Amino acid sequence: MPDNNEYAKAPKNYYVPASSAWPLVGAIALFIIAIGAATTVQMIGKEGSNTGIPILFVGIAILLFMLFSWFRNVISESMKGLYNEQLDRSFRMGMLWFIFSEVMFFVALFGVLFYLRNLSIPWLGGEGNNAMTHAVIWADFIPTWPLTITPDGRETQAMPWYGLPLVNTIILITSSVTLHFAHHNLIAKHRAKLVTWLAITVALGITFLFFQVEEYLHAYQELSLRFDSGVYGNTFYMLTGFHGMHVTLGVIMLTVMLLRVINGHFTPGKHFAFEAAAWYWHFVDVVWIILFLFVYIV
Amino acid sequence: MSDIKIKDNAEQMINSTSDLHHADPHQGAEHHGAPKGYKRWLFSTNHKDIGSLYLWFSLTMFFIGGAMAMIIRAELFQPGLQLVEPNFFNQMTTSHGLIMVFGAVMPAFVGLANWMLPLMIGAPDMALPRMNNWSFWILPFAFSLLLLSLFTEGGGPNFGWTFYPPLSTKYSPDSTAMFVFSVHLMGISSIMGAINVIVTILNMRAPGMTMMKMPMFVWTWLITAFLLIAVMPVLAGAVTMILTDKYFGTSFFDAAGGGDPVLFQHIFWFFGHPEVYIMILPSFGIISAIIPTFARKQLFGYHSMVYATASIAILSFTVWAHHMFTVGLPLAAELFFMYCTMLISVPTGVKIFNWVSTLWRGSITFEVPMLFSLAFIVLFTIGGFSGLMLAITPADFQYHDTYFVVAHFHYVLVTGAVFSIMAAAYYWLPKWTGYMFNERLGKWHFWCSLISVNILFFPMHFLGLAGMPRRIPDYALQFADINKIVSIGGFMFGLSQLLFVAVVIMAVRGGQKAPAKPWEGAEGLEWTVPSPAPYHTFDTPPEVK
Ligand code: HEM
Ligand SMILES: [Cu+2]
């Protein structure tokens, strides 16, 4: 929690920021991304080069530039001491509700996993009052999880939980601990240790992503476990993929924090951005543990 | 709410705010009125300007979606296919639904929230003003993308606003990816808007404005924002899986790969039912502000209103499968969702009871906002009753996917949500523009709307009970007469809305000057600032006792 004295010299008034062009630029960037992504997707499997991809990249570039500029703006305002305690609270609440929205996104994806495993696959196998569904449509279908043979006969192999996934679990849990050490050192004003622990955390995050790519390659090349291998592959890639994107975002956030720490930003009482990145990282970690349990082990 | 005593009287407040306004500038914000030119609107961090942008956007979408409804009703004027191709008809029903839900009703409420929440809780602005502008500006782009898809080869979305697979996967047009990404944009905008609302309400209240003193509109929006953050990500998940099923060979909703199309319906309605409450809870807040004003009585049962709103929000997560009674759910599920659905009408009933009790022995006058609010109470209740009929599982086997459902949700959404938005616009127009609107024209707008909306939607109940299916461009001959009446009502309703535009534009341009508090019975902080509300209000928080 912030040390109240940090805000002793901060403006007592409500803070209304100056107007800014970045939100509009952000909206335009999202528009270009949406057009680019839609075009890319619609041209998959069609003749000719995919004109969507360059549009998509232009959009992403503008978005990154916008985020960079917007955050630079906010950081410099914050460093000038323009922000007061109330605004700090607004940022905190905003971040927590944002994480809640992310939680709900994963709730939906896990809901899909549970529904498939516990309801629709057994039903396809004839459970409940579905004997005729089974007999008439796919009489040879055997309901199992992982679903290695789909009703229409596509085959794949299951990804075991030991090996890379286990290593990755250990890496991610460790990274949450190292991040916690970093935070402690921030509060204790041990800059050098803070930098070390934070750098280790970022390195662990990158290692995680590297192993995940390895794992995907292994899955595609040796297990013929693909994104389109029926619902087992679907949920596997959907959950680990979206989780991976969140890890990527988390790594970016932590890297920015590392750079800011090296530049001497943050005080024991005033380091909301650091905390926000840490919350996000812990959230990503928790999602992974649930994912490891239900996608890999059980 | 009722026991709010504003520290100073209105006059003093006005003086003190404008004095402090100059005495106490601080860095970072521009404190000299509105910036000039296009920058004012494009780069805004002002809740009033952003609120106006939202409201104008919503009005535009209301007319674009309305034009599509006119095409639908023109085609259905007579049996047989006459004006448009069936595929185009499907695109019209789909886009009409999407535009009205995400483009007209929701942005109107966000616009009202932007304008009124800071004024009601005594805050100088929304908590995160730049993000506020971002959430607004995403919307015009999102809807451009959606509308653009209508002009692609193969046409735009034609699978209904509920986009059930396999209609939206196997049988959907090439442009489905545009639909998916435009829904993503709408979702991003809504989530950011909702985060802003929650943080504003929790963190920006003036000293003394405790939670249980907040006006009902603030309460209902707080709970709506929670619902939005909880379910918009689920919608994002749903459209994403539609995207991968259609373009990347996944089988989430395809039994051949182990999936299930019914799974989609569960996900969609887990979002969809809370979504319908997202579109009605702010209305409840508006009506709870207007009825006491013109009945000149305090709101009856403020506390029970708050608890009813909260319980509606919680229960709304337990009723989704009432949209799926006919898909072959297990019996236990049918029963569970039937009883939960009936249970949710109890808190809804509490609200109706409270409004009626507020009116009881009030000294009522019938200004335009009040007329719309009274119509809301009666007509929304009709929609609630037809909802109850639909909630009875065995009966729904007959009603499902007929015009009875169409009648139901248009009563709750048009005479409910849209009427409440109209009421709110009339109620706060003097505060926004500084001028009284043309009362005569407003009354014309009300009566024309009231009569035509009932000609439009009431007979749909009979069409549905007699078995006319929804979303089909042609129908059996026995439905011809009623459809003709319905279409005539539709055209009348569409035309009546032009009167609203006239009233608004006239009020923006001038007229009789509005005092700070144009409605004598009104209570709340928004009436303590002058009309039009100055560009910056409550720079120094008012004290609420
Ligand atoms: C007393 C409260 C309500 C009850 C018991 C209720 C019940 C139902 C039921 C059972 C259905 C499904 C009918 C079917 O498809 O067979 C339905 C549909 C619908 N309801 Fe309600 N409802 C209530 C209030 C509302 C409110 C307040 C709104 C929106 C403001 C709303 C909007 C809708 C919509 C949009 C649909 C149709 C969705 C579609 O299939 O396109 N309802 N309602
Ligand atoms: Cu519902």
Side-chain angles (χ1 to χ4, degrees):
Chain A
M1 275 316 288
D3 176 352
N4 292 351
N5 303 335
E6 291 281 338
Y7 291 101
K9 285 193 278 327
K12 285 282 170 285
N13 272 354
Y14 287 117
Y15 180 77
V16 181
S19 61
S20 160
W22 300 120
L24 180 68
V25 175
I28 294 171
L30 286 177
F31 183 51
I32 298 175
I33 290 177
I35 290 182
T39 319
T40 307
V41 168
Q42 282 166 209
M43 291 184 76
I44 286 175
K46 299 218 170 114
E47 301 257 315
S49 67
N50 196 326
T51 47
I53 294 173
I55 306 179
L56 183 59
F57 278 112
V58 169
I60 293 174
I62 301 178
L63 187 73
L64 290 179
F65 174 68
M66 179 288 285
L67 286 173
F68 179 78
S69 315
W70 188 337
F71 280 115
R72 194 183 50 187
N73 209 350
V74 168
I75 291 168
S76 82
E77 283 169 0
S78 164
M79 302 293 283
K80 274 189 230 152
L82 293 182
Y83 291 179
N84 57 16
E85 209 181 339
Q86 185 180 38
L87 193 69
D88 185 79
R89 263 198 318 272
S90 289
F91 283 161
R92 273 160 206 283
M93 289 180 177
M95 187 66 194
L96 287 175
W97 285 103
F98 168 66
I99 291 179
F100 173 60
S101 80
E102 297 270 45
V103 168
M104 289 309 293
F105 182 74
F106 279 101
V107 164
L109 295 185
F110 278 107
V112 168
L113 178 70
F114 295 142
Y115 183 94
L116 293 169
R117 290 180 58 164
N118 300 317
L119 297 173
S120 74
I121 290 178
W123 286 342
L124 282 170
E127 202 178 86
N129 57 1
N130 297 285
M132 288 315 286
T133 310
H134 179 61
V136 173
I137 312 182
W138 289 292
D140 299 334
F141 174 63
I142 304 159
T144 55
W145 190 267
L147 186 72
T148 43
I149 305 179
T150 61
D152 62 357
R154 278 172 276 165
E155 287 188 33
T156 176
Q157 276 172 278
M159 175 67 76
W161 62 268
Y162 44 84
L164 277 181
L166 181 63
V167 172
N168 256 351
T169 308
I170 296 167
I171 289 177
L172 216 51
I173 292 176
T174 315
S175 76
S176 251
V177 178
T178 55
L179 182 58
H180 188 69
F181 288 160
H183 192 193
H184 261 269
N185 283 301
L186 197 167
I187 293 170
K189 292 193 176 172
H190 296 150
R191 271 288 142 161
K193 281 190 193 163
L194 162 61
V195 172
T196 318
W197 284 118
L198 195 53
I200 293 175
T201 312
V202 171
L204 286 172
I206 294 172
T207 319
F208 175 91
L209 288 171
F210 176 76
F211 281 152
Q212 181 145 30
V213 173
E214 284 284 290
E215 184 192 341
Y216 281 3
L217 289 176
H218 171 65
Y220 260 80
Q221 289 163 358
E222 279 132 52
L223 301 181
S224 74
L225 174 58
R226 302 156 51 89
F227 190 34
D228 57 4
S229 308
V231 287
Y232 174 63
N234 303 163
T235 48
F236 175 82
Y237 285 105
M238 199 74 155
L239 279 160
T240 56
F242 271 107
H243 177 264
M245 286 183 206
H246 285 77
V247 175
T248 312
L249 184 58
V251 167
I252 295 173
M253 284 157 90
L254 289 177
T255 311
V256 174
M257 293 312 129
L258 183 61
L259 295 176
R260 289 188 64 185
V261 163
I262 292 172
N263 279 317
H265 292 199
F266 304 129
T267 61
K270 210 177 156 192
H271 53 270
F272 158 72
F274 183 95
E275 281 180 283
W279 292 340
Y280 196 78
W281 193 252
H282 293 317
F283 150 73
V284 169
D285 202 16
V286 171
V287 172
W288 176 261
I289 291 170
I290 301 172
L291 197 154
F292 185 59
L293 199 61
F294 291 109
V295 174
Y296 291 94
I297 298 187
V298 220
Chain B
M1 158 70 210
S2 46
D3 40 4
I4 291 183
K5 293 281 178 299
I6 284 78
K7 187 182 163 204
D8 307 343
N9 66 33
E11 288 300 310
Q12 278 169 342
M13 273 302 298
I14 294 160
N15 295 337
S16 62
T17 38
S18 49
D19 286 349
L20 284 167
H21 180 82
H22 289 287
D24 220 345
H26 55 268
Q27 301 178 61
E30 289 157 67
H31 267 232
H32 307 285
K36 296 274 171 300
Y38 69 96
K39 282 190 181 165
R40 167 171 180 188
W41 302 104
L42 295 184
F43 303 160
S44 181
T45 47
N46 182 288
H47 73 102
K48 301 183 184 84
D49 282 352
I50 297 175
S52 304
L53 286 171
Y54 264 110
L55 290 169
W56 284 115
F57 174 78
S58 154
L59 191 62
T60 314
M61 284 296 135
F62 183 59
F63 277 93
I64 295 178
M68 292 171 171
M70 297 298 103
I71 295 175
I72 294 170
R73 280 326 312 177
E75 173 60 46
L76 293 173
F77 192 70
Q78 283 182 344
L81 298 176
Q82 28 252 322
L83 294 175
V84 296
E85 295 283 308
N87 186 36
F88 185 72
F89 183 87
N90 291 342
Q91 293 173 43
M92 288 299 101
T93 51
T94 306
S95 322
H96 165 74
L98 289 168
I99 288 177
M100 288 307 199
V101 168
F102 295 104
V105 172
M106 290 169 66
F109 284 138
V110 184
L112 291 170
N114 258 300
W115 250 103
M116 302 319 297
L117 292 182
L119 288 179
M120 286 178 161
I121 61 174
D125 208 297
M126 298 293 279
L128 304 162
R130 286 180 190 147
M131 192 171 84
N132 199 11
N133 199 33
W134 197 13
S135 11
F136 170 73
W137 278 106
I138 289 173
L139 283 182
F141 292 111
F143 283 90
S144 308
L145 189 60
L146 186 70
L147 290 172
L148 223 67
S149 77
L150 290 172
F151 298 97
T152 56
E153 213 182 309
N158 59 2
F159 26 70
W161 82 281
T162 52
F163 57 103
Y164 285 9
L167 288 178
S168 55
T169 50
K170 272 206 179 88
Y171 306 109
S172 63
D174 270 359
S175 68
T176 304
M178 293 170 82
F179 155 80
V180 166
F181 288 110
S182 82
V183 172
H184 273 308
L185 292 186
M186 295 167 202
I188 295 172
S189 160
S190 290
I191 291 174
M192 289 199 294
I195 290 178
N196 215 341
V197 165
I198 292 203
V199 176
T200 304
I201 296 174
L202 294 183
N203 194 31
M204 305 285 283
R205 297 192 312 280
M209 176 62 80
T210 56
M211 294 293 273
M212 289 316 263
K213 280 186 189 166
M214 293 188 325
M216 267 320 287
F217 182 69
V218 181
W219 260 112
T220 52
W221 239 116
L222 178 67
I223 291 168
T224 303
F226 165 74
L227 288 178
L228 273 167
I229 302 178
V231 300
M232 290 311 284
V234 177
L235 175 69
V239 287
T240 306
M241 285 180 273
I242 290 292
L243 185 83
T244 60
D245 265 19
K246 182 169 171 65
Y247 297 99
F248 296 95
T250 61
S251 344
F252 290 107
F253 310 130
D254 179 2
D260 184 356
V262 173
L263 169 59
F264 172 84
Q265 300 184 22
H266 282 293
I267 305 167
F268 181 83
W269 289 113
F270 184 83
F271 147 79
H273 190 83
E275 167 68 20
V276 307
Y277 281 98
I278 288 166
M279 292 188 286
I280 204 67
L281 290 182
S283 306
F284 292 167
I286 293 164
I287 302 304
S288 304
I290 296 177
I291 296 283
T293 297
F294 296 101
R296 290 163 183 77
K297 273 178 66 189
Q298 286 176 12
L299 181 66
F300 182 90
Y302 170 82
H303 286 78
S304 64
M305 270 320 205
V306 172
Y307 298 132
T309 313
S311 37
I312 286 177
I314 293 163
L315 283 173
S316 73
F317 288 104
T318 63
V319 301
W320 76 85
H322 66 215
H323 297 272
M324 307 165 55
F325 283 147
T326 59
V327 301
L329 301 176
L331 181 65
E334 305 256 48
L335 289 173
F336 173 81
F337 286 107
M338 172 166 89
Y339 289 124
C340 282
T341 305
M342 294 184 167
L343 200 61
I344 207 170
S345 23
V346 175
T348 315
V350 167
K351 289 180 174 276
I352 309 275
F353 178 83
N354 284 347
W355 293 322
V356 175
S357 307
T358 308
L359 291 169
W360 177 253
R361 299 201 156 173
S363 15
I364 303 177
T365 49
F366 297 93
E367 284 84 347
V368 186
M370 183 62 160
L371 290 173
F372 271 102
S373 301
L374 293 173
F376 173 97
I377 297 180
V378 176
L379 299 177
F380 174 77
T381 305
I382 293 181
F385 281 139
S386 58
L388 267 177
M389 291 171 71
L390 291 165
I392 303 166
T393 309
D396 185 65
F397 275 63
Q398 168 70 15
Y399 308 147
H400 179 64
D401 256 349
T402 69
Y403 264 82
F404 192 83
V405 178
V406 180
H408 159 66
F409 67 73
H410 282 93
Y411 265 89
V412 284
L413 282 172
V414 178
T415 59
V418 173
F419 267 33
S420 78
I421 293 166
M422 300 285 178
Y426 283 109
Y427 188 54
W428 285 308
L429 256 181
K431 183 58 58 190
W432 300 338
T433 64
Y435 299 110
M436 297 307 287
F437 55 85
N438 184 327
E439 179 86 13
R440 245 178 105 83
L441 207 55
K443 285 198 166 148
W444 268 98
H445 172 224
F446 170 73
W447 287 107
C448 289
S449 298
L450 181 74
I451 294 166
S452 59
V453 89
N454 283 294
I455 301 176
L456 166 58
F457 294 125
F458 204 78
M460 284 187 185
H461 290 111
F462 306 126
L463 284 174
L465 292 177
M468 178 171 161
R470 61 189 282 209
R471 293 174 168 162
I472 309 281
D474 189 7
Y475 48 81
L477 288 180
Q478 69 266 30
F479 303 129
D481 294 342
I482 300 190
N483 267 297
K484 198 162 280 174
I485 297 171
V486 167
S487 284
I488 292 171
F491 302 139
M492 283 166 57
F493 185 73
L495 286 176
S496 312
Q497 301 323 304
L498 297 175
L499 293 174
F500 178 67
V501 181
V503 174
V504 172
I505 290 180
M506 280 161 61
V508 170
R509 292 186 142 195
Q512 188 196 331
K513 284 253 178 250
K517 194 168 102 170
W519 319 114
E520 60 163 11
E523 275 189 59
L525 289 177
E526 77 260 39
W527 308 111
T528 63
V529 300
S531 302
Y535 200 62
H536 294 287
T537 35
F538 299 131
D539 275 352
T540 307
E543 211 171 311
V544 182
K545 288 232 175 103

